[in-house]
Amino acid sequence: MSRHSTPSADPRFDEHASDRGQTVEQDRDKPEDGRRRVYIQGIAPEIDAGQYPAKRILGDQLTVSVDLVADGHDVLAGQLWVRPPPGNPSAGSAPREVAYPLLASVNDRYSASCELNAIGRWHYSFEAWVDAFATWRGGLEKKLAAEQDVNVDLLVGAELLGAAAERATGQDRDALSAARAQLSDVAEPLAARAQLALRPELLALMGRHPDRAHATRHARWLPLWVDRERARFSAWYELFPRSTGEPGQHGTFRSTLARLPYVASMGFDVLYLPPVHPIGHTFRKGKNNSPNATESDVGSPWAIGSAEGGHKSVHPALGSLEDFRALAAEAGRHGLELALDIALQVTPDHPYVKEHPEWFKRRPDGSIQYAENPPKKYQDIYPFDFECDAWWSLWLELKSIFEFWVTQGVRIFRVDNPHTKSLPFWQWCIAELTRDNPDLIFLAEAFTRPKLMYLLAKLGFTQSYTYFTWRNTGRELREYLEELTTPPVREFFRPNFWPTTPDILPEHLQHAGRAAFSLRLVLAATLSSNYGVYGPAFELMDNVPRPGVEEYLDNEKYELKSWAPDRPDTLKPLIARINAIRKNNRALQHNLIAFHPTDNELLLCFSKQAPDEQNAVLVIINLDVHHAQAGWVDLDLPTESGALARPARPPELGQSGLQLHDLLSDARYSSQERRLFVRLDPQSAPAHIFLLRRRARTEHDFDYFV
Amino acid sequence: MSRHSTPSADPRFDEHASDRGQTVEQDRDKPEDGRRRVYIQGIAPEIDAGQYPAKRILGDQLTVSVDLVADGHDVLAGQLWVRPPPGNPSAGSAPREVAYPLLASVNDRYSASCELNAIGRWHYSFEAWVDAFATWRGGLEKKLAAEQDVNVDLLVGAELLGAAAERATGQDRDALSAARAQLSDVAEPLAARAQLALRPELLALMGRHPDRAHATRHARWLPLWVDRERARFSAWYELFPRSTGEPGQHGTFRSTLARLPYVASMGFDVLYLPPVHPIGHTFRKGKNNSPNATESDVGSPWAIGSAEGGHKSVHPALGSLEDFRALAAEAGRHGLELALDIALQVTPDHPYVKEHPEWFKRRPDGSIQYAENPPKKYQDIYPFDFECDAWWSLWLELKSIFEFWVTQGVRIFRVDNPHTKSLPFWQWCIAELTRDNPDLIFLAEAFTRPKLMYLLAKLGFTQSYTYFTWRNTGRELREYLEELTTPPVREFFRPNFWPTTPDILPEHLQHAGRAAFSLRLVLAATLSSNYGVYGPAFELMDNVPRPGVEEYLDNEKYELKSWAPDRPDTLKPLIARINAIRKNNRALQHNLIAFHPTDNELLLCFSKQAPDEQNAVLVIINLDVHHAQAGWVDLDLPTESGALARPARPPELGQSGLQLHDLLSDARYSSQERRLFVRLDPQSAPAHIFLLRRRARTEHDFDYFV
């Protein structure tokens, strides 16, 4: 790890390189230095040529690979430049840069690693050059082997040592000068001088003082975003505070306090609240989304704004801002982080409508344009007009909403329908917010076109809702997971799997009852390191749809619900068990996944492994919620899935075999085979979640997979 | 096709986008315009983010695809900007730009095409925006279908028409104003106004005057290089002029004239000559590369330079520059273009050594560093030192060598070992030469590491030697062809297949005789649209190696050879036939290839098709040069090769089947099946080269495949 001067842009690679040749002058120009022989290519990770940051987690090893290509057969050297986040942004002082050596692998590929010890925006770049000394040394070895006269070669080496001495200081300088003198001392016996020239210490010494006069510098700094661990590993629980009251009573932040031990006991770590703001009255929706609300209807929390306030106020029926802060603090004491829902839309009653009419689209009849998706009309909702002339003041105000809730103790935001708001706004807003608060987490609730979902992640959203909710067959799940966990997607998109949401009761959960809810729980919690449930509807297995649609009947979005969380048939024990398994097994805290072939399409089998390969889990799931399924599972991976195979390959079989410890049933099996026969009955268990152990030398002692 | 103002860089996409967030100021900045809602992503073709040009041929359709992604569900519009090569570079006037509409396909993908009607360096870029009128029109349709009141909607549409009228002129302006008036005329019946609003003519009219106020412009112009057709389709014949004389006599340019009809009669179109310069004497190599040359040894043409001159002189024994020009002119009359070999290295006798010692590396003992690849020494060759302080004068002089031969009538250069010369030099030199002479063609003779070979192509070489020479099995050939003909490689790398060269007599040609030479000929000439042979050694099937190496015995590089081109067993007739087939079938002038499964691994089956799908050829080759092979061939393509399947898929079977016309044997077969049984005996024919025809309605009339 050295500290050389910063790489500056190489004109041969400057951003106008692609324009060269457009005008006579540019091309006829003499390059600044035509002796930069090394080309830097094929950078990984790199998202859209560095336009967007790759994402990592605090404590991760960042490993970057590049191709270094130069003419001929000379030995090349290079380094990865890393620029950590500025300690204090307001200081504005140029951040420190650190170099790490690039090590050669095969086929002109080189890589370097560094530990990511801070959250925030990092940058990295590259520098590479021809290593004249290593090249010379390799030639010397061959000539000596061929017993050629190397007298002149030693003098050439002495020149290289002398030049390095000029670049060095202190002890290194002295050592290099001494070596130069010895190599060029023709009085000395040739063999002794050759031996000295080949000493590994000398190679290392020269490596510390390379000749970078003709080094190629990569033209740009590539961005890298480092999040705290929760961005990668989280279990969310969605709860309507207003439904935590006594039956028939409007719940409050205070009544929600009583629900915290219950949520914490299931092992969740994020408590997500729908919007807590005052709810509009104009065109308020009644029960089951009825256009005609009665006096008693409470309306939808996403219909934000009334005379009582807007996005920076809390619904009086829920309590005060002080109550909210108290809830956030108490949740923290239960190991629960509060996540707040931000929906950037207003009702006709929102103060913004009167105070900032310039932020809304006015129709020729003077009315304000309400939300619509023809022929559907949402007259209770006004969208912001992101194309209005006052867009800048709108941006600043919307950003201030997040800033307000940050001051109230919120670090996690679930953003409602971000894909219907201007994308440049998100790119700017999240960059602004996270620079000062790099620990903020944004979950994008976007169920939309794939490229739009991916772009939201590139633009800054930390986690994203996914299509998991509608992926049911083994093939659908396998293909979707492989898409999500393969570069480039895995570099910027972090999935968060939800079996249901207040908006979605998928068809496959409407008829099958407990077995289906158990199945979707296990799938979500094991396939994805981030997952969430909408409760208590989920653990109480509410599966009654509004006829003909994938929505709940008597949807909690439009009315108070009175749940009985202590119902004896609740899924709570299974949820608690699975969350405990996730917390105890780092393999499930990542998405390094490999799928294994089975001879029964209704059995889904995959393994996950922690990056350090110290923890490996094998999951076998029965996708049939009606019947028991049995079949053979092959632990060997098909070579096609090479990309995923390595990190998630199960441990090699020791001579004394493999132990499979089912973390759901606590049963333990031993196997000498790479093939297993399994049978799963949905009435008893939806899956095996095996911790894989290799039997240690001693018969009675099991150690974790290494 | 419209002509709007040039797109300028969009700050949201500026080249420092990746640096945003490094300093407080940058990030806090208000974007120039936050209302540019469309993002341009996933450009194809794009080589290394536009650092290097994609390559096309004069007359090609350039088809470019991008993802246009914006929030919500609005209709998007955009255009491809194309900047043709400057007509007259010295004029320096800004080249004209032309816009082509981007048409939507699926999954947010859009594409546009334009015809490439000039050779040289083109550029393209993109612009995209939200199409407010098309969005509004779609909503109106839905509302009318739902029988909603659209009165206000029509007024909204009228506003859009009025704004467009402001942007328009002449008739369009009048038409837009009239439409605006009618839409807003509340006296008119609603139905009539709605009908007018939905008229396709009105949509087209609005399409001519889009509101691009908030258009996103792609930040950079991507380069595209357009070559003349020979860059893609060529048949090379390598010939040593000095071996065209009477037996024992040193051949000349004049004696080479007599060989032209012979070469032309085989249907070649490029006549490639090894270096024609004076040959050095110091350390001259004798026969079979012997270090001890006798007086009579002629030396290697690649050992360039003597007292008689260097790279801008011709070997006196070959004749004069005037003779050379005469040869070039006469070759042209035979449909042969002269290609000259340029080897940027010198002998100790080259005038450069005395005149420009600063271009060479001097060793501590005062001697000049000769070429070496330890432990091998090449004391007859001095390499240029591209890291010397005088690199710029070296570059200018080396470029002037090409310029000199251009003035002598050479437009095609075969560059010897470009991978051992500085890569930045090639990037600069070829850009310089081709700007003034865009019809120049450079063939890179680089047999080296794959990424280095590909980089040479990116940096400007038109065609490249390949690993074909060592690819023998069906699997090797299939995998290599699929690599070469799949993006990104196919966008910048143009293979030129050579069965042998003066340097290489591959092992598989050393023992099998005629059948092997026929096989390699058919493979080279049908797999690749560019191919070449080293003659007359090839057609006379010279297969005698120097023991233990893949080189010719009595190599023509080191001595005069006296060939008997009219030997009765020559491959000349087969070569002539195959070159004629290539000329008559455009499918073989491209590399749009798809491989078909066979049940015999020794039968290689593939089809090629012209881009316009008007010509399709099916090739079936017996890879076994010793025995007849038979098996079933399946014309249906495996779906995996989707990328290649379409252009090369054989014609659908008409109700009366497919006709296969073997262009080698002239036999014709009919088939009602997608599966064919074939048997090939290497003693009679190495392959079937079927022209595919679909039988026309009438029994006796065949028409070309459509």
Side-chain angles (χ1 to χ4, degrees):
Chain A
M1 184 163 118
S2 58
R3 286 150 205 273
H4 299 304
S5 63
T6 306
S8 68
D10 171 351
R12 207 184 57 230
F13 287 99
D14 71 13
E15 295 311 338
H16 305 292
S18 61
D19 293 338
R20 292 160 126 226
Q22 279 179 58
T23 74
V24 178
E25 294 61 29
Q26 273 177 305
D27 235 11
R28 289 278 150 96
D29 272 352
K30 173 184 176 184
E32 182 193 296
D33 186 350
R35 294 172 292 184
R36 296 173 179 160
R37 291 166 50 203
V38 187
Y39 284 63
I40 299 167
Q41 309 233 303
I43 298 169
E46 184 183 56
I47 313 297
D48 296 1
Q51 205 169 79
Y52 308 108
K55 296 176 184 175
R56 293 294 186 270
I57 295 292
L58 180 66
D60 282 356
Q61 279 286 323
L62 170 68
T63 298
V64 186
S65 302
V66 292
D67 297 328
L68 300 184
V69 186
D71 59 283
H73 307 282
D74 291 352
V75 177
L76 306 185
Q79 49 200 14
L80 164 70
W81 282 100
V82 174
R83 184 187 284 175
N88 170 8
S90 56
S93 62
R96 175 175 117 264
E97 278 122 19
V98 183
Y100 300 83
L102 283 164
L103 306 178
S105 57
V106 297
N107 192 17
D108 294 330
R109 198 76 176 151
Y110 294 71
S111 64
S113 294
C114 87
E115 197 198 335
L116 300 169
N117 53 14
I119 60 173
R121 180 176 284 260
W122 294 57
H123 290 83
Y124 55 97
S125 191
F126 304 91
E127 182 178 20
W129 58 89
V130 174
D131 186 334
F133 184 79
T135 304
W136 168 85
R137 186 179 185 274
L140 182 67
E141 282 183 308
K142 295 201 183 88
K143 290 175 176 180
L144 288 167
E147 294 177 342
Q148 295 177 5
D149 172 17
V150 297
N151 198 9
V152 178
D153 299 275
L154 290 172
L155 297 178
V156 172
E159 287 180 352
L160 295 173
L161 291 166
E166 297 296 313
R167 295 187 294 270
T169 56
Q171 287 188 340
D172 283 2
R173 185 191 191 106
D174 301 343
L176 288 163
S177 303
R180 186 201 59 71
Q182 287 170 275
L183 248 63
S184 47
D185 180 355
V186 292
E188 285 289 312
L190 206 63
R193 291 156 61 203
Q195 200 175 18
L196 164 69
L198 295 179
R199 271 175 40 220
E201 302 74 22
L202 189 58
L203 185 63
L205 179 60
M206 285 296 283
R208 287 203 295 276
H209 305 284
D211 179 3
R212 293 156 64 238
H214 307 318
T216 298
R217 283 91 182 241
H218 187 58
R220 53 169 93 183
W221 286 92
L222 301 166
L224 177 81
W225 184 262
V226 176
D227 281 299
R228 58 186 170 118
E229 189 186 20
R230 183 139 295 160
R232 188 194 62 221
F233 175 55
S234 60
W236 294 50
Y237 187 84
E238 179 173 5
L239 175 83
F240 284 73
R242 71 184 182 184
S243 293
T244 58
E246 292 306 309
Q249 297 300 310
H250 194 290
T252 65
F253 295 133
R254 292 184 180 284
S255 63
T256 304
L257 284 173
R259 192 66 64 84
L260 293 177
Y262 167 80
V263 177
S265 70
M266 285 185 281
F268 291 102
D269 41 41
V270 177
L271 176 61
Y272 148 43
L273 310 181
V276 296
H277 318 301
I279 296 173
H281 297 277
T282 307
F283 293 108
R284 172 178 287 190
K285 292 294 196 325
K287 290 189 166 110
N288 288 303
N289 201 19
S290 145
N292 317 311
T294 67
E295 260 318 302
S296 64
D297 280 317
V298 291
S300 161
W302 286 271
I304 298 169
S306 75
E308 294 148 326
H311 285 75
K312 297 175 186 173
S313 309
V314 292
H315 195 305
L318 287 172
S320 67
L321 268 176
E322 191 179 359
D323 297 337
F324 178 87
R325 289 193 298 269
L327 175 61
E330 183 61 17
R333 282 187 279 277
H334 284 83
L336 288 165
E337 257 193 275
L338 226 53
L340 192 60
D341 191 321
I342 301 294
L344 295 182
Q345 58 192 20
V346 304
T347 72
D349 311 325
H350 195 293
Y352 285 156
V353 177
K354 283 192 201 58
E355 296 164 11
H356 294 285
E358 70 275 18
W359 292 341
F360 303 93
K361 190 175 283 169
R362 203 162 289 279
R363 308 170 81 212
D365 64 353
S367 67
I368 289 181
Q369 176 66 62
Y370 49 78
E372 57 179 4
N373 182 9
K376 286 200 203 136
K377 302 178 175 187
Y378 308 96
Q379 286 160 296
D380 58 330
I381 298 295
Y382 288 168
F384 292 107
D385 176 14
F386 283 90
E387 289 191 347
C388 69
D389 295 337
W391 63 271
W392 179 238
S393 65
L394 173 63
W395 281 23
L396 292 172
E397 173 62 19
L398 296 181
K399 176 165 72 78
S400 75
I401 293 170
F402 291 93
E403 288 165 339
F404 173 83
W405 289 104
V406 166
T407 63
Q408 303 303 310
V410 178
R411 318 301 292 179
I412 305 182
F413 295 98
R414 180 270 196 188
V415 177
D416 187 73
N417 285 331
H419 59 290
T420 60
K421 285 77 183 176
S422 166
L423 301 178
F425 164 72
W426 290 124
Q427 184 172 25
W428 168 85
C429 181
I430 295 177
E432 293 288 304
L433 294 169
T434 52
R435 192 184 47 257
D436 300 342
N437 299 281
D439 63 329
L440 295 184
I441 290 176
F442 298 84
L443 168 63
E445 188 253 349
F447 294 105
T448 181
R449 310 186 301 282
K451 286 170 181 171
L452 180 47
M453 288 173 68
Y454 286 150
L455 182 53
L456 286 163
K458 290 178 180 178
L459 296 181
F461 281 91
T462 321
Q463 300 181 0
S464 308
Y465 281 63
T466 69
Y467 301 135
F468 163 75
T469 312
W470 298 277
R471 296 290 182 272
N472 305 316
T473 70
R475 182 188 177 143
E476 285 172 350
L477 290 162
R478 208 164 43 241
E479 289 178 349
Y480 190 44
L481 262 293
E482 275 166 2
E483 176 183 331
L484 295 179
T485 57
T486 305
V489 175
R490 78 165 171 209
E491 302 288 7
F492 60 82
F493 185 88
R494 293 203 193 92
N496 191 326
F497 281 7
W498 290 70
T500 71
T501 77
D503 299 312
I504 310 162
L505 175 63
E507 191 277 345
H508 54 262
L509 281 175
Q510 294 177 10
H511 312 299
R514 182 181 196 85
F517 279 82
S518 303
L519 169 63
R520 297 303 293 181
L521 170 69
V522 173
L523 285 171
T526 57
L527 284 170
S528 173
S529 56
N530 295 303
Y531 90 107
V533 301
Y534 152 53
F538 185 80
E539 62 266 29
L540 297 181
M541 298 165 285
D542 179 356
N543 66 348
V544 185
R546 239 170 68 212
V549 294
E550 290 197 318
E551 286 177 31
Y552 288 94
L553 184 66
D554 303 332
N555 193 314
E556 193 167 7
K557 287 194 296 181
Y558 309 107
E559 61 188 87
L560 302 183
K561 303 283 278 192
S562 180
W563 301 102
D566 301 331
R567 229 173 60 198
D569 67 339
T570 174
L571 280 183
K572 179 183 170 197
L574 179 62
I575 294 172
R577 180 105 197 183
I578 285 173
N579 280 333
I581 292 170
R582 283 166 47 94
K583 283 208 169 72
N584 296 332
N585 291 276
R586 288 181 302 108
L588 296 174
Q589 300 170 16
H590 296 261
N591 289 335
L592 299 173
I593 191 168
F595 288 89
H596 302 272
T598 68
D599 63 0
N600 179 342
E601 182 57 28
L602 289 170
L603 290 176
L604 182 70
C605 178
F606 60 90
S607 56
K608 282 185 148 188
Q609 182 160 295
D612 64 6
E613 306 188 1
Q614 295 306 297
N615 176 243
V617 166
L618 177 74
V619 183
I620 306 170
I621 302 179
N622 174 8
L623 298 171
D624 180 347
V625 296
H626 300 294
H627 311 95
Q629 293 292 336
W632 286 93
V633 164
D634 183 352
L635 296 195
D636 285 318
L637 292 165
T639 51
E640 302 84 67
S641 66
L644 297 172
R646 198 201 59 73
R649 174 178 292 113
E652 296 311 315
L653 283 172
Q655 59 197 36
S656 47
L658 190 69
Q659 193 214 39
L660 301 99
H661 177 184
D662 189 335
L663 302 171
L664 277 178
S665 69
D666 212 28
R668 294 166 188 240
Y669 309 84
S670 283
S671 170
Q672 304 292 336
E673 302 294 329
R674 306 293 289 178
R675 301 188 76 227
L676 306 173
F677 182 81
V678 293
R679 183 177 186 285
L680 283 162
D681 182 341
Q683 300 320 314
S684 49
H688 293 301
I689 302 179
F690 289 122
L691 171 62
L692 297 178
R693 292 197 187 92
R694 187 171 53 197
R695 191 185 294 264
R697 291 276 162 272
T698 61
E699 184 58 36
H700 305 294
D701 163 30
F702 296 111
D703 62 347
Y704 269 81
F705 157 54
V706 288
Chain B
M1 183 165 121
S2 59
R3 285 148 205 273
H4 300 303
S5 64
T6 307
S8 67
D10 172 349
R12 207 183 60 227
F13 286 101
D14 70 14
E15 295 311 340
H16 304 293
S18 62
D19 293 338
R20 291 161 128 228
Q22 279 177 59
T23 73
V24 178
E25 295 60 30
Q26 274 178 308
D27 232 13
R28 289 279 150 96
D29 272 351
K30 173 185 176 183
E32 183 191 299
D33 185 350
R35 294 171 292 184
R36 295 171 178 160
R37 291 167 50 202
V38 187
Y39 283 63
I40 298 168
Q41 309 232 302
I43 298 169
E46 183 183 57
I47 313 297
D48 296 0
Q51 204 168 82
Y52 308 107
K55 296 176 183 174
R56 294 293 186 271
I57 295 292
L58 180 66
D60 282 354
Q61 281 285 323
L62 169 68
T63 298
V64 186
S65 302
V66 292
D67 298 328
L68 300 185
V69 186
D71 58 284
H73 308 282
D74 291 352
V75 177
L76 306 185
Q79 51 201 13
L80 164 70
W81 281 100
V82 175
R83 183 188 284 175
N88 170 8
S90 56
S93 61
R96 178 176 112 265
E97 278 122 21
V98 183
Y100 300 84
L102 284 165
L103 306 178
S105 56
V106 298
N107 192 16
D108 293 330
R109 198 75 176 151
Y110 294 71
S111 66
S113 294
C114 86
E115 198 197 334
L116 300 169
N117 52 16
I119 61 174
R121 180 176 284 261
W122 294 57
H123 290 83
Y124 54 98
S125 191
F126 304 91
E127 183 179 20
W129 58 88
V130 174
D131 186 334
F133 184 78
T135 304
W136 168 84
R137 186 179 183 274
L140 181 68
E141 281 183 308
K142 296 201 185 84
K143 289 176 177 180
L144 288 167
E147 295 178 340
Q148 295 177 3
D149 172 17
V150 297
N151 199 9
V152 178
D153 298 274
L154 290 172
L155 297 178
V156 172
E159 287 180 353
L160 295 172
L161 292 166
E166 298 296 313
R167 295 188 293 269
T169 56
Q171 287 189 339
D172 283 2
R173 185 190 190 104
D174 302 342
L176 288 163
S177 304
R180 185 201 57 72
Q182 288 171 275
L183 248 63
S184 48
D185 180 356
V186 292
E188 284 292 310
L190 206 62
R193 292 156 61 200
Q195 199 174 16
L196 164 69
L198 294 180
R199 271 175 39 220
E201 303 74 23
L202 189 57
L203 185 62
L205 179 59
M206 285 296 282
R208 289 204 295 276
H209 306 284
D211 179 2
R212 295 156 64 235
H214 307 318
T216 298
R217 284 92 182 239
H218 187 60
R220 53 168 92 184
W221 285 92
L222 301 166
L224 176 80
W225 184 264
V226 177
D227 282 300
R228 59 188 171 117
E229 190 186 20
R230 183 138 295 160
R232 188 194 62 221
F233 175 55
S234 61
W236 294 50
Y237 187 83
E238 178 173 7
L239 176 82
F240 283 74
R242 70 184 184 184
S243 293
T244 59
E246 293 305 309
Q249 298 299 310
H250 194 292
T252 65
F253 294 133
R254 292 184 180 284
S255 62
T256 305
L257 285 171
R259 194 64 65 84
L260 294 176
Y262 167 79
V263 176
S265 70
M266 286 185 281
F268 291 102
D269 41 41
V270 178
L271 176 61
Y272 148 43
L273 309 181
V276 295
H277 318 301
I279 295 173
H281 297 275
T282 308
F283 294 107
R284 172 178 286 192
K285 292 292 198 318
K287 290 188 168 129
N288 288 305
N289 202 20
S290 146
N292 317 310
T294 67
E295 264 315 305
S296 65
D297 279 318
V298 291
S300 162
W302 285 272
I304 298 167
S306 77
E308 295 149 325
H311 284 76
K312 297 174 185 173
S313 309
V314 293
H315 195 305
L318 287 171
S320 65
L321 269 175
E322 190 179 0
D323 297 337
F324 178 88
R325 289 193 297 270
L327 175 62
E330 183 62 17
R333 283 187 279 276
H334 285 80
L336 289 165
E337 254 192 280
L338 225 53
L340 192 61
D341 191 319
I342 300 294
L344 295 182
Q345 57 193 21
V346 304
T347 73
D349 312 325
H350 195 294
Y352 285 157
V353 178
K354 283 191 201 60
E355 297 165 10
H356 295 285
E358 71 274 16
W359 291 343
F360 304 92
K361 190 176 283 171
R362 202 161 289 277
R363 311 210 304 164
D365 64 353
S367 66
I368 289 179
Q369 177 65 61
Y370 48 78
E372 57 180 5
N373 182 10
K376 288 200 201 134
K377 304 178 174 190
Y378 308 94
Q379 287 160 296
D380 58 329
I381 298 296
Y382 289 168
F384 293 107
D385 176 14
F386 283 91
E387 289 190 346
C388 69
D389 295 338
W391 64 271
W392 180 238
S393 66
L394 173 64
W395 280 24
L396 292 171
E397 174 61 21
L398 295 181
K399 175 164 73 79
S400 75
I401 293 170
F402 291 93
E403 287 164 340
F404 173 83
W405 289 105
V406 167
T407 64
Q408 302 302 312
V410 178
R411 319 300 292 178
I412 305 183
F413 295 98
R414 180 269 197 191
V415 177
D416 186 74
N417 284 334
H419 59 290
T420 60
K421 285 78 185 174
S422 165
L423 301 179
F425 164 73
W426 290 124
Q427 184 173 26
W428 168 85
C429 181
I430 295 176
E432 293 288 304
L433 294 168
T434 52
R435 191 184 48 256
D436 299 343
N437 300 280
D439 63 330
L440 295 186
I441 288 175
F442 298 84
L443 168 62
E445 188 254 348
F447 294 105
T448 180
R449 310 186 300 283
K451 285 170 181 171
L452 180 46
M453 288 173 69
Y454 286 151
L455 182 54
L456 285 163
K458 290 177 181 178
L459 296 181
F461 281 90
T462 321
Q463 300 180 359
S464 309
Y465 281 62
T466 69
Y467 302 136
F468 164 75
T469 312
W470 298 277
R471 295 290 183 272
N472 305 316
T473 69
R475 182 187 176 143
E476 286 171 350
L477 290 162
R478 210 163 42 239
E479 289 177 349
Y480 191 44
L481 261 293
E482 276 166 0
E483 175 183 332
L484 295 179
T485 57
T486 304
V489 176
R490 78 165 172 209
E491 302 289 7
F492 60 82
F493 185 88
R494 291 202 193 92
N496 191 326
F497 281 8
W498 290 71
T500 71
T501 77
D503 299 312
I504 309 162
L505 175 64
E507 191 277 343
H508 55 261
L509 281 174
Q510 295 177 8
H511 312 298
R514 181 182 198 84
F517 278 81
S518 303
L519 169 63
R520 297 302 294 181
L521 170 69
V522 172
L523 285 171
T526 57
L527 283 171
S528 172
S529 56
N530 295 303
Y531 90 108
V533 301
Y534 152 52
F538 186 80
E539 64 265 29
L540 298 181
M541 297 165 287
D542 179 356
N543 66 348
V544 184
R546 239 171 69 215
V549 293
E550 290 197 317
E551 287 179 29
Y552 288 95
L553 182 67
D554 303 332
N555 193 316
E556 193 166 7
K557 285 193 298 181
Y558 308 107
E559 60 188 273
L560 302 182
K561 301 283 277 191
S562 180
W563 302 101
D566 300 332
R567 229 171 61 198
D569 68 338
T570 174
L571 281 182
K572 179 183 171 200
L574 180 61
I575 295 172
R577 180 105 196 182
I578 285 172
N579 280 334
I581 292 171
R582 284 165 47 93
K583 282 208 172 70
N584 296 332
N585 291 276
R586 289 181 301 107
L588 296 173
Q589 300 170 16
H590 296 261
N591 289 335
L592 299 172
I593 191 168
F595 289 89
H596 303 271
T598 69
D599 63 1
N600 178 345
E601 182 57 30
L602 290 170
L603 290 176
L604 182 70
C605 178
F606 59 91
S607 56
K608 283 185 148 189
Q609 183 161 294
D612 64 6
E613 305 188 4
Q614 295 306 297
N615 177 245
V617 166
L618 177 74
V619 182
I620 306 170
I621 302 179
N622 174 8
L623 298 171
D624 181 345
V625 296
H626 300 292
H627 311 95
Q629 293 292 336
W632 286 94
V633 164
D634 183 353
L635 297 196
D636 284 319
L637 291 165
T639 50
E640 302 84 67
S641 64
L644 297 172
R646 199 199 58 71
R649 173 177 291 116
E652 296 311 314
L653 284 172
Q655 59 198 35
S656 46
L658 189 70
Q659 194 215 40
L660 300 99
H661 177 185
D662 189 337
L663 301 171
L664 277 178
S665 69
D666 213 29
R668 297 169 187 237
Y669 309 84
S670 283
S671 170
Q672 304 292 334
E673 301 294 330
R674 307 291 289 177
R675 300 187 77 226
L676 306 173
F677 183 82
V678 293
R679 184 179 186 284
L680 284 162
D681 183 341
Q683 300 318 317
S684 48
H688 293 300
I689 302 179
F690 289 123
L691 170 63
L692 297 178
R693 293 197 187 92
R694 187 170 53 198
R695 191 186 293 264
R697 289 279 160 273
T698 61
E699 186 56 37
H700 305 296
D701 161 31
F702 295 113
D703 62 346
Y704 269 80
F705 156 59
V706 289

